[in-house]
Amino acid sequence: MSSDEPQQRRGPGRGPADGPGEPAAPEDGPAAPRQDAPEGARRPADAGRPGVPGKGDGPARRDDPAARPGQGAPDPATQQIRPVTDGGGAAPQGKGKGGAAPLRKNGSAATPQGTPAAGANDPATQQIRPVKAGAQGAGAAGAAGAAGAAAKGGPATTRLRPVRPEGPGAGHQEPGNGRPQGWAPRDPGEGGPGDGDGAGPAGPAAPGKKGKKAKRPKRKGWRRLFPTWRMVLGAFILFILLGVGAFMTGYFLVNIPPANAMATKQSNVYLYSDGTEIARDGKVNRENVPLSKVPKKVQHAVLAAEDRDFYSESAVDPKAMLRAGWNTLTGKGKQSGSTITQQYVKNYYLAQEQTVSRKVKEFFIAIKLDREVSKDEILQGYLNTSYFGRSAYGVQAAAQAYYGKDVEDLSVGQGAYLATLVNSPNAYDVATHPENKPRAVARWNYVLDGMVKEGWLDQAERDKVKFPMPEQAKGAPGLSGQRGYVVKAVEDYLIENRIVDEDALSKGGYRITTTLQKPKQDAFVKAVDEQVMSKIDKKARKIDKDVRVGGASVDPKTGKVVAMYGGIDYTKQFVNNATRRDYQVGSTFKPFVFTSAVENDSTTQDGRPITPNTVYDGNNRRPVQGWDGGTYAPANEDDYQYGDISVREATDKSVNSVYAQMAVDVGSDKVKETAVALGVPAKTPDLTASPSIALGPSTASVLDMTEAYATLANHGKHGTYTLVEKISKDGQDIALPQRKTSTAVSREAADTTTSILQSVVQSGTGREALAAGRPAAGKTGTAENDKAAWFAGYTPDLATVVAVMGQDPVTATQTPLYGALGETRINGGGYPAKVWAQFTKDALEGKPVKEFDLQLEPGSEEPVAPDPSQTAQEPDEGDDTGGAADGGPSEEPDRGGRTQGGQTQEPTGGQGQGGQDQGGQGQGGQTQDPTGGQDQGGATQGGGADGGGATGDNDGGPGGGAAQGALGGLTVGPGGRDRDD
């Protein structure tokens, strides 16, 4: 026998059912007798190794239970570890299925020739042998026993794995199957040679080939939706590598550029809609100073406002940048997230466009600059290049613009205010926008508190600091007259609508075509000059120096602002009176209450629908019903008792008690919603949902109110006003927001409101508007204590609002206008209505006269007046005609005069004697001969210009006239201004 021929085979001879068996012992010696197993007991290779070719029974079939998981695997309970015998002879040859394979012991007779034998207890020389209880061979009982063991949950599926023995014999393989000698137990589910997925016994393997490595089970169900941890880790590492690569690339490619062209700032050009130039700005107000000239308190104030960790932090703050970007994207307002170093880079080296490329350059330049320049140099550059508003660049120019002093002379409070401006000059300039003072003061306190927190200011010193009101601004000489107001309004419009960034706009270079029409703009200036400014006599009346006028006009169909009046002169009165939001709108708000009532199908407390003809209790100080917020009983003008009065008449006379109750009937919250839908900004100060909302304590601007009234003129369709027709830079057009039109209220609600406002012009407090010579609707209003008087009105073609305001030119405080312009009181039916009428007449000159096309709510038609011939008979005894022969006062002076005396055939009767009594005042306005009433009643002692003007005019009516004029009508009669509207 040759030395390389194996001395033993592990598989026994095949049984009769499986074909001829293989020799079980080497040819050169007898088999060793078995010592530890019953005769004919089957070896593991026969019964416990299904699917192994060349072993015992041969390959297991797929339908053989022994080849399936958990059915044919040996049970450890029936296994024994048997050392290979070390006898010199060969193991006895197995016979059939009951033959036993040779075992090795100490390797003396079972190892190849010349190979050292392993020890008896060496794992490489051991085998796990199943011990079949009771059966000889692999009969059905044996198979059933194995299956039963598996069914009990024991490790019956434990399989054998090859263990490569050490030494020269380690490479020996069993002939015909390619497996090395020696097998060891393998845990269930663990893959091995020939395994499919490692979950059970393998099927038949090809002879002479190694089994394949087990495959990873596929992810199923919802797990497929999520990446594995390997994928996440790989992506993270890739992201880090890409980030590092991008950073290094940017750092080496981006260089520090020369200073930008800020020092050669271009002009912004402002044009009328026809291309005619309005104004041109472009002068740079800047004076650089060394950091040593800036007081430490001022430096610290700027740091407290913008970057408190400037001296200790790096040049960039990625966390702040990400937070700012997220806030900007989510609509929380524009956030820079930049350090002082980054802001300086933007101001000095880069342009102001909001682009990703600019932000990337800013990031890398800031890092490089921080390595090459000291912190003091960066702070000095920042203070000299920052924009503080009022065309002032740098802290020195700002000190002069706001306080008229050098920066080294600034106090702590003044320095803190300048630091406040850096964040948003347009928002915190309390002189330009007085309504923003609460916001400015809040940020000013934030700056001072930050200085205390950082240890830069003592708490005791901080407590002594008072808010330092800046001086009134002075416009540039090139922006005199209306030009400066227009420029400022356009700037505000562009910034608030995020069309152009404030910093970018301050650098100039834009060509802006406005919606303003030069003929209408000139007509507005002329109307104000002739109706108001020509009456001012500062020498005779000190109060005249406080008179201010603001106005705006909008095309209802397009929303375009066609004219605007901001003040007498931008270089003298810096604040734009057309856009400021700090004066009460008064009774010009009342039409919004009625509009909301119609829109919401509201009813009175007793269930009656609210229409122009609905009757309310108009008595003075009548507590409102249905309000759970406490007692509220507003006073009427001069505490007048109107009794039962219709909504139409209450609107004519601006009766407070009626409209306060109507606000409760509708719901004050719904009234607010309607006002906002019409065009009043939701953020308007004092626009609160309560009964008082009807009396107009809110402080919307003239332009805001014009937009709201334009919605009524446009039958309830609202579109925000627009002030810019076109804007371009360097020949490239810049996109403007698309104007969106929506239905704010139904046409019936808007048109019914128009119908009662027509009555105000025809027979109520707004009769001066008739001078426009066109169908008109409007409402008068007066702020508390006569600090402002309003007239808001419209024709089918034009909506215009005019306000006369009182403001001290030195302190900027609001002042009452008693005695101004030679009048005891300034009311909405006087000068504002006169300006409105003249402007409207001139602005629409040459255009065809249009009537209102109205669709009214049911029940709102005006009652037909009785035939005068039916009332010309002799009155019965006791009837109050208001025009008695002796001119004596009637029981109800205003109502009697209007309804009885005014309807007689003798409209002038009683005027000679009744001029100053209440009966005499009731005549004229509602008579058959209004001209006679105006001429004769006013020429005698009657109050007001038309004998009855003061009676039905809570805002004073047209007032004035001959002799005692406004004084007689306002002091004796029941007219005068409505102090709560």
Side-chain angles (χ1 to χ4, degrees):
M1 173 178 162
S2 61
S3 62
D4 56 353
E5 182 177 355
Q7 296 179 344
Q8 65 177 353
R9 291 182 183 270
R10 296 186 57 182
R14 296 180 182 272
D18 298 310
E22 296 183 25
E27 298 177 355
D28 55 353
R34 296 184 59 181
Q35 301 177 2
D36 55 355
E39 183 65 19
R42 188 167 183 171
R43 291 172 297 178
D46 299 328
R49 299 285 311 279
V52 182
K55 300 290 179 74
D57 295 337
R61 296 187 303 272
R62 290 185 179 272
D63 57 353
D64 188 353
R68 299 174 185 172
Q71 296 185 10
D75 190 327
T78 60
Q79 295 177 353
Q80 293 180 345
I81 299 178
R82 304 199 50 185
V84 180
T85 59
D86 57 352
Q93 182 175 352
K95 298 180 180 179
K97 292 188 177 181
L103 297 179
R104 296 176 295 178
K105 186 175 183 181
N106 299 330
S108 57
T111 58
Q113 295 180 0
T115 303
N121 295 324
D122 190 337
T125 62
Q126 295 178 349
Q127 290 182 333
I128 297 178
R129 304 280 306 275
V131 179
K132 302 290 183 174
Q136 301 259 345
K152 293 179 180 179
T157 58
T158 301
R159 294 172 292 165
L160 301 178
R161 60 180 177 182
V163 179
R164 187 180 300 275
E166 298 180 358
H172 178 72
Q173 297 182 349
E174 295 175 345
N177 62 5
R179 288 189 176 89
Q181 291 182 349
W183 294 82
R186 193 175 185 88
D187 292 335
E190 185 179 0
D195 290 347
D197 57 1
K209 294 184 179 180
K210 291 184 178 180
K212 295 182 179 179
K213 185 178 180 180
K215 295 181 179 179
R216 183 178 301 278
K218 293 183 178 180
R219 293 157 54 86
K220 298 180 180 179
W222 60 268
R223 291 181 176 84
R224 293 182 298 175
L225 301 177
F226 298 93
T228 65
W229 68 269
R230 292 182 178 86
M231 295 171 63
V232 174
L233 180 61
F236 177 75
I237 295 174
L238 180 62
F239 177 79
I240 295 297
L241 293 176
L242 291 175
V244 172
F247 177 83
M248 298 302 297
T249 301
Y251 186 84
F252 288 112
L253 291 182
V254 177
N255 297 316
I256 299 177
N260 60 22
M262 183 185 62
T264 57
K265 175 180 177 286
Q266 302 180 64
S267 297
N268 289 322
V269 181
Y270 299 83
L271 309 171
Y272 285 112
S273 60
D274 61 359
T276 306
E277 184 173 311
I278 301 175
R280 181 185 296 265
D281 67 354
K283 181 181 178 181
V284 176
N285 178 19
R286 185 201 301 113
E287 181 182 350
N288 292 338
V289 293
L291 190 62
S292 59
K293 292 287 186 179
V294 182
K296 282 291 185 181
K297 296 298 185 184
V298 177
Q299 296 181 36
H300 290 154
V302 174
L303 295 178
E306 296 297 313
D307 192 353
R308 298 180 184 180
D309 299 322
F310 169 71
Y311 279 98
S312 60
E313 70 179 2
S314 61
V316 296
D317 186 353
K319 182 179 179 181
M321 294 173 65
L322 291 174
R323 181 177 63 250
W326 174 255
N327 290 337
T328 301
L329 290 174
T330 54
K332 297 181 180 179
K334 186 188 72 172
Q335 305 283 330
S336 67
S338 300
T339 64
I340 278 182
T341 304
Q342 289 175 273
Q343 294 182 53
Y344 171 58
V345 168
K346 181 186 69 172
N347 293 339
Y348 191 71
Y349 294 104
L350 302 174
Q352 302 297 317
E353 69 272 6
Q354 296 293 324
T355 62
V356 175
S357 61
R358 198 270 294 167
K359 293 295 291 184
V360 171
K361 290 179 182 178
E362 174 190 303
F363 180 84
F364 289 110
I365 293 174
I367 294 176
K368 284 191 172 183
L369 191 69
D370 193 50
R371 296 171 61 90
E372 300 177 10
V373 179
S374 69
K375 290 286 189 179
D376 284 347
E377 291 177 280
I378 293 174
L379 181 59
Q380 175 180 298
Y382 176 75
L383 292 174
N384 284 321
T385 58
S386 295
Y387 182 62
F388 289 83
R390 298 191 183 184
S391 299
Y393 290 87
V395 67
Q396 170 64 17
Q400 288 290 342
Y402 288 91
Y403 295 107
K405 59 178 65 176
D406 292 332
V407 63
E408 55 189 326
D409 297 325
L410 292 175
S411 66
V412 174
Q414 292 169 340
Y417 178 70
L418 294 186
T420 296
L421 292 170
V422 175
N423 181 266
S424 180
N426 189 62
Y428 297 123
D429 187 345
V430 296
T432 305
H433 294 286
E435 69 274 11
N436 289 341
K437 184 176 179 180
R439 294 176 55 197
V441 173
R443 182 158 180 84
W444 177 77
N445 285 321
Y446 165 80
V447 173
L448 290 175
D449 292 342
M451 294 176 67
V452 173
K453 184 177 180 180
E454 297 296 325
W456 297 329
L457 182 67
D458 293 336
Q459 183 65 52
E461 184 180 359
R462 188 262 180 271
D463 294 338
K464 297 178 182 178
V465 180
K466 304 298 181 182
F467 182 78
M469 193 69 184
E471 297 178 355
Q472 291 298 306
K474 297 179 180 180
L479 300 178
S480 60
Q482 296 301 306
R483 292 190 292 271
Y485 299 122
V486 171
V487 168
K488 184 59 180 173
V490 171
E491 287 180 352
D492 292 346
Y493 177 83
L494 293 173
I495 294 170
E496 289 175 4
N497 289 277
R498 300 184 180 180
I499 300 171
V500 178
D501 182 78
E502 183 176 0
D503 291 337
L505 189 62
S506 68
K507 301 299 184 293
Y510 294 92
R511 186 177 181 84
I512 305 164
T513 302
T514 69
T515 59
L516 300 177
Q517 300 176 13
K518 192 175 189 306
K520 291 182 174 62
Q521 183 74 11
D522 293 341
F524 220 139
V525 175
K526 180 182 177 182
V528 174
D529 287 345
E530 294 183 357
Q531 296 295 335
V532 178
M533 295 304 164
S534 63
K535 309 294 192 302
I536 289 179
D537 188 348
K538 296 181 181 180
K539 294 182 180 180
R541 297 177 295 271
K542 184 178 179 181
I543 190 63
D544 280 9
K545 65 181 175 56
D546 294 352
V547 174
R548 304 284 186 272
V549 180
S553 186
V554 172
D555 184 336
K557 293 180 175 58
T558 65
K560 294 180 180 179
V561 180
V562 297
M564 176 185 295
Y565 186 90
I568 183 62
D569 191 322
Y570 184 71
T571 62
K572 299 176 182 179
Q573 298 175 5
F574 190 73
V575 181
N576 189 336
N577 296 316
T579 58
R580 66 190 304 169
R581 293 189 177 110
D582 58 339
Y583 281 89
Q584 293 180 348
V585 300
S587 289
T588 57
F589 196 92
K590 286 177 179 174
F592 306 153
V593 181
F594 179 76
T595 303
S596 186
V598 180
E599 176 69 12
N600 293 285
D601 296 323
S602 301
T603 61
T604 61
Q605 294 293 308
D606 55 3
R608 292 173 292 123
I610 299 177
T611 71
N613 301 317
T614 302
V615 176
Y616 272 90
D617 184 349
N619 283 324
N620 181 57
R621 298 189 183 279
R622 172 187 177 275
V624 297
Q625 305 298 316
W627 170 249
D628 57 3
T631 303
Y632 182 69
N636 294 330
E637 172 59 24
D638 291 333
D639 294 329
Y640 193 79
Q641 304 285 351
Y642 287 97
D644 291 342
I645 187 172
S646 70
V647 170
R648 187 184 304 276
E649 190 176 2
T651 307
D652 290 348
K653 298 180 179 181
S654 199
V655 181
N656 287 343
S657 58
V658 171
Y659 268 90
Q661 181 62 59
M662 190 187 302
V664 174
D665 293 344
V666 176
S668 54
D669 55 338
K670 294 181 180 178
V671 172
K672 179 179 178 179
E673 291 174 2
T674 299
V676 172
L678 291 172
V680 177
K683 63 181 180 180
T684 300
D686 296 323
L687 184 63
T688 56
S690 66
S692 64
I693 193 174
L695 309 186
S698 57
T699 57
S701 71
V702 169
L703 190 54
D704 295 334
M705 296 299 289
T706 308
E707 179 180 329
Y709 271 75
T711 304
L712 294 175
N714 198 30
H715 308 293
K717 293 182 179 180
H718 172 255
T720 55
Y721 73 83
T722 175
L723 197 54
V724 177
E725 191 84 55
K726 181 181 179 181
I727 179 172
S728 62
K729 185 175 184 180
D730 300 329
Q732 299 293 323
D733 290 343
I734 296 175
L736 294 172
Q738 293 291 329
R739 182 174 183 266
K740 298 180 180 179
T741 302
S742 61
T743 300
V745 295
S746 66
R747 177 164 185 169
E748 288 75 14
D751 288 358
T752 306
T753 301
T754 297
S755 72
I756 65 173
L757 295 184
Q758 282 184 284
S759 179
V760 173
V761 172
Q762 293 166 0
S763 58
T765 59
R767 286 188 296 275
E768 283 288 356
L770 290 172
R774 291 176 181 265
K779 185 69 184 75
T780 57
T782 307
E784 187 177 5
N785 296 324
D786 276 0
K787 293 179 181 179
W790 297 67
F791 184 81
Y794 51 92
T795 69
D797 299 306
L798 209 57
T800 305
V801 177
V802 179
V804 177
M805 311 166 181
Q807 181 179 21
D808 188 289
V810 177
T811 63
T813 57
Q814 298 182 12
T815 57
L817 290 175
Y818 299 126
L821 305 175
E823 303 292 336
T824 302
R825 293 175 175 174
I826 301 297
N827 50 70
Y831 290 107
K834 292 178 181 179
V835 172
W836 185 95
Q838 179 174 334
F839 164 73
T840 301
K841 180 179 180 180
D842 294 344
L844 297 178
E845 185 177 5
K847 292 188 175 183
V849 176
K850 291 183 180 179
E851 296 287 344
F852 287 107
D853 179 19
L854 304 180
Q855 296 180 7
L856 307 181
E857 71 164 329
S860 62
E861 294 78 9
E862 187 173 1
V864 179
D867 188 346
S869 63
Q870 301 297 323
T871 60
Q873 300 176 1
E874 188 73 20
D876 294 335
E877 184 177 357
D879 286 348
D880 181 11
T881 65
D886 60 356
S890 64
E891 293 292 334
E892 295 180 273
D894 180 64
R895 300 177 67 195
R898 284 187 68 257
T899 60
Q900 301 292 334
Q903 295 290 341
T904 64
Q905 294 183 350
E906 298 178 356
T908 60
Q911 291 179 4
Q913 298 296 326
Q916 288 196 8
D917 66 25
Q918 297 179 354
Q921 290 182 7
Q923 303 178 26
Q926 293 290 330
T927 64
Q928 298 292 321
D929 186 4
T931 302
Q934 291 177 358
D935 294 340
Q936 298 182 33
T940 58
Q941 299 179 21
D946 65 348
T951 60
D953 188 4
N954 284 309
D955 295 301
Q964 299 179 13
L967 181 60
L970 293 170
T971 58
V972 178
R977 101 183 153 82
D978 185 348
R979 65 187 169 199
D980 292 316
D981 60 354

